[in-house]
Structures are given as structure tokens and as C-alpha cells.
Amino acid sequence: RLYAMAQLSPQAFSKLGLVPLLEELDLCGCQIEDAAVEEFLASAQAETLKILNLTWCPALTDASMLAVAKHCTSVTWLSFFGNLNITASAVEAL
């Protein structure tokens, strides 16, 4: 878990795509941005994710939610609570 990792750089986050068979990713409180999330989710590893916690990641927008909808076909639990830049249309895409 990378809970509340304000210092998590985009470069470090991108390395998570190298973790084989990643099933759970908890980024609650991390200061990540859409571009890093989209890049990670476009990797093959996103297909194995079952649990994705994007709670209180204030920089995330609809772009991240649309990437989740597109790439995370195995997710059974998702949270993006507290993210004020997510609109109803992105939620509907999920």
C-alpha cells in the first residue's frame, strides 16, 4: 500500500507497472495526477487489478476514471471518495 504518499513521484509511480500480477493498489491520499494514472492503467498490469483505492487523490479528474473504465476490466472494488474533480458522467462510464 502506498497510503498518503505525498512524495510519490510520477517516475516512481510508473514503476508499479513492472509489478507482475498486481491485484490490489491502495493510493489513498497520494498526490498523483491523471497522466501518471493513465500511463499506469494502460500497462498490461492493470488487467489483473481487483482492488483499486483512489480515495482522497485530489488532483484526479474524469480522465483517470475513464482510464479505469477502459483498462481495469477485473476490478471488483473501487473507491474514489473525496475526489472533487470527478463528475457524474465519469461515474456513469464505469
Side-chain angles (χ1 to χ4, degrees):
R1 291 187 177 182
L2 300 173
Y3 184 80
M5 296 267 310
Q7 69 274 20
L8 183 67
S9 70
Q11 296 82 8
F13 182 73
S14 70
K15 298 295 184 190
L16 291 174
L18 301 175
V19 177
L21 304 176
L22 184 65
E23 291 186 1
E24 180 178 348
L25 185 57
D26 184 346
L27 298 172
C28 180
C30 291
Q31 300 297 313
I32 55 172
E33 296 184 358
D34 287 328
V37 171
E38 290 176 271
E39 180 182 339
F40 168 74
L41 294 179
S43 76
Q45 300 310 324
E47 295 174 1
T48 62
L49 279 177
K50 296 190 183 338
I51 298 171
L52 181 58
N53 187 0
L54 299 173
T55 300
W56 296 112
C57 296
L60 298 185
T61 69
D62 286 358
S64 289
M65 292 305 102
L66 295 174
V68 169
K70 180 178 180 180
H71 299 291
C72 297
T73 56
S74 297
V75 166
T76 58
W77 189 90
L78 170 66
S79 176
F80 51 91
F81 179 82
N83 296 335
L84 303 177
N85 297 316
I86 307 294
T87 66
S89 62
V91 174
E92 290 172 11
L94 294 171

